[in-house]
Amino acid sequence: SMVVIVMLISRLLEVLMSRQQVAIENEKLRSENLQNQYNALKSQLDPHFLFNSLNTIMELIEEDKNLAKGFVARLSEVFRYMLSHSDKKLISLRDEIEFTNDYVFLLKLRHSQLSIDFEIAEDGVAWKVPPLAIQLLIENAVKHNEISKARPLKIKVIQVGDLLEISNSVNEKRTPADGAGMGLKNLMERYRIIAEREVHIENHNNVFKVIIPLIK
């Protein structure tokens, strides 16, 4: 009868609405979980960067106090950038490159045999990356490789379409650096959460390369 049909349709709508509500709640929980994961990853970055910076300052004070003062002055600019972008999941590639140049300036105060070349395409696309993405990879290269007149360290940051390739010559230190690649693991997890895209790593022919996606 018509009454039975109406009741069935009503019941079907209730079931569908209930399922939709469950799906919405599950997605909300998933989003909150991903946000919590991201916040946890982000909280690892500043202490990690600060710890390494303080170590550098302590070493410079012993070697050259004026150089140490210059390092601290430039470091304040770097931290200003980090604080102003700490709440963002993505930052423009242009801004990240400018920040990285400030960071590279700090590195070269201590490592005169370090060279970093940028080849960024002028394609008019407003590409974005996670904050500190490039800095972390450059820091990783400096941390794990010897830098000397006999063995200079060369780093290249090259854009290829919607990818960014950060590569360096491999001159591994005789004594392994502390840490188990926390920065690289952190970056890979942030990409998984933010963009559901993979970071690729290549290590052959004495060249270590990390390929990160650029995001529109």
Side-chain angles (χ1 to χ4, degrees):
S1 66
M2 183 63 68
V3 175
V4 173
I5 293 174
V6 171
M7 290 178 65
L8 287 174
I9 293 174
S10 176
R11 179 58 182 159
L12 179 60
L13 288 173
E14 287 179 7
V15 171
L16 291 174
M17 290 178 66
S18 177
R19 288 183 176 179
Q20 185 179 28
Q21 184 63 33
V22 169
I24 291 173
E25 290 176 357
N26 285 341
E27 182 60 28
K28 183 180 178 181
L29 288 171
R30 177 178 177 274
S31 297
E32 290 176 351
N33 182 49
L34 289 177
Q35 183 62 48
N36 289 337
Q37 289 182 46
Y38 178 79
N39 288 339
L41 287 168
K42 188 173 65 175
S43 69
Q44 295 175 4
L45 297 180
D46 290 354
H48 179 66
F49 182 82
L50 179 59
F51 176 78
N52 288 340
S53 298
L54 290 177
N55 276 345
T56 299
I57 292 170
M58 291 174 66
E59 291 174 9
L60 282 177
I61 288 174
E62 296 295 325
E63 300 171 8
D64 188 328
K65 290 184 179 180
N66 288 329
L67 197 58
K69 289 179 180 178
F71 184 93
V72 171
R74 198 63 174 245
L75 183 62
S76 67
E77 295 298 319
V78 170
F79 271 109
R80 182 176 289 113
Y81 173 91
M82 294 174 68
L83 290 172
S84 64
H85 296 87
S86 63
D87 60 338
K88 298 178 181 179
K89 291 184 179 179
L90 294 170
I91 191 71
S92 74
L93 178 60
R94 183 182 299 275
D95 286 347
E96 183 70 9
I97 292 294
E98 289 181 5
F99 161 72
T100 303
N101 279 325
D102 284 336
Y103 176 70
V104 168
F105 176 87
L106 297 179
L107 290 177
K108 287 186 174 181
L109 285 177
R110 294 204 63 237
H111 304 289
S112 60
Q113 302 303 318
L114 169 67
S115 65
I116 302 179
D117 295 324
F118 292 89
E119 294 181 20
I120 307 300
E122 295 293 337
D123 54 12
V125 180
W127 297 112
K128 295 180 181 296
V129 293
L132 307 185
I134 303 173
Q135 178 269 328
L136 279 170
L137 295 174
I138 291 176
E139 179 184 51
N140 191 61
V142 171
K143 181 179 179 181
H144 293 284
N145 290 280
E146 177 186 332
I147 307 176
S148 64
K149 290 183 179 180
R151 307 187 74 183
L153 179 63
K154 298 180 181 180
I155 300 175
K156 293 182 179 180
V157 181
I158 302 173
Q159 180 182 349
V160 181
D162 65 345
L163 299 173
L164 199 65
E165 299 180 353
I166 298 89
S167 62
N168 63 270
S169 52
V170 178
N171 305 318
E172 290 186 9
K173 292 180 178 178
R174 294 178 181 177
T175 303
D178 293 335
M182 186 191 79
L184 184 54
K185 290 178 181 178
N186 183 299
L187 183 61
M188 295 173 74
E189 281 298 300
R190 282 194 291 156
Y191 261 104
R192 182 184 64 81
I193 291 171
I194 295 171
E196 296 184 349
R197 296 182 67 180
E198 297 294 325
V199 172
H200 295 282
I201 301 172
E202 299 178 3
N203 190 3
H204 54 79
N205 296 330
N206 209 39
V207 174
F208 183 82
K209 180 186 294 184
V210 179
I211 304 171
I212 62 175
L214 296 173
I215 302 168
K216 288 186 179 180

